[in-house]
Amino acid sequence: MAPPTVPEGAARDRVRAFITDGGYHPGDRLPAERELVTRLGMTRNTLRKALETLEREGAIWRHVGKGTFVSAIGSGAPVASVIDLARQVSPLHMMRARIALEPAIAREAAINASDAGIARIAEARDKAVAAESWDVYEAWDVSLHRLIAESTGNALLLALFDQLNQVRRAVAWDTVVRASDRPAPSHTSFAEHDRIVQAIRSRNATEAHAAMRAHLGSVSARLFGDH
């Protein structure tokens, strides 16, 4: 049985509500169209028109071969700027930008994070350790870093993080070859995350900055041999 006809405006609002109610953050990838059609109860043609409208409004952006990603909902930010930036940024440049910004974010989190915020950061750290696949690990890894930015209580720092993360998702990374189905217990990021979480929990701003810088430097070294 074919899905009922949904007016364009209602379809757009249904997709927007799906993004909001699903807890999607800027930079998160939405499910594939075939899944959205089923979950939202509309035809693929109607869904595509709704996505086109949301893309024009700056709520989402799409990258051929990668999928549909959440932008800053309701911000009116030009989607083209993300794509244009991604075309000018190499994966190495992206890592250097993260190393420049995220240690400062971790320092601010150590100063300003609430106890509840720290608990959420620690939970994301634990979920990453328990991940049964690399995709799940990477989703919790992104969540951990965003929760740290959120815990600063600084809307501008969070917006900068989200913008950086949107561009990171759009950058054309080379295929990473995985030697296993999931991270090994000895995966170096686990201990690095522990150090970051402990520094934030201890309200040690200097150590949080150093721990985040060491972590991102380690990731960069593994990916690019960059020290």
Side-chain angles (χ1 to χ4, degrees), residues 32-50:
E33 283 188 7
R34 62 180 177 277
E35 181 178 344
L36 287 174
V37 163
T38 300
R39 294 176 66 174
L40 296 173
M42 62 181 71
T43 65
R44 179 162 290 192
N45 186 53
T46 299
L47 172 66
R48 287 178 175 171
K49 288 181 179 178

Side-chain angles (χ1 to χ4, degrees), residues 102 105-106 109 121 143-155 157-159 161-162:
E102 290 193 54
I105 288 176
I121 294 168
S143 180
L144 182 149
H145 284 266
R146 190 181 192 279
L147 285 167
I148 291 171
E150 191 175 302
S151 293
T152 65
N154 187 318
L157 284 177
L158 180 58
F161 174 88
D162 283 340

Side-chain angles (χ1 to χ4, degrees), residues 75-142:
S75 70
V79 177
S81 65
V82 174
I83 298 172
D84 289 343
L85 273 173
R87 289 170 178 159
Q88 301 174 56
V89 174
S90 71
L92 179 57
H93 287 159
M94 173 54 58
M95 282 305 308
R96 300 308 300 172
R98 292 187 68 189
I99 290 170
L101 177 64
E102 290 193 54
I105 288 176
R107 179 179 58 212
E108 291 299 306
I111 296 169
N112 297 296
S114 65
D115 290 343
I118 293 171
R120 287 192 292 271
I121 294 168
E123 180 184 18
R125 184 262 325 263
D126 294 342
K127 294 284 190 180
V129 172
E132 294 292 336
S133 70
W134 280 104
D135 284 346
V136 173
Y137 164 78
E138 288 165 2
W140 281 111
D141 177 69
V142 170

Side-chain angles (χ1 to χ4, degrees), residues 203-224:
R203 310 293 183 179
N204 188 330
T206 301
E207 170 63 8
H209 185 284
M212 181 64 80
R213 185 173 180 83
H215 168 52
L216 294 176
S218 173
V219 173
S220 184
R222 291 197 301 273
L223 290 174
F224 312 112

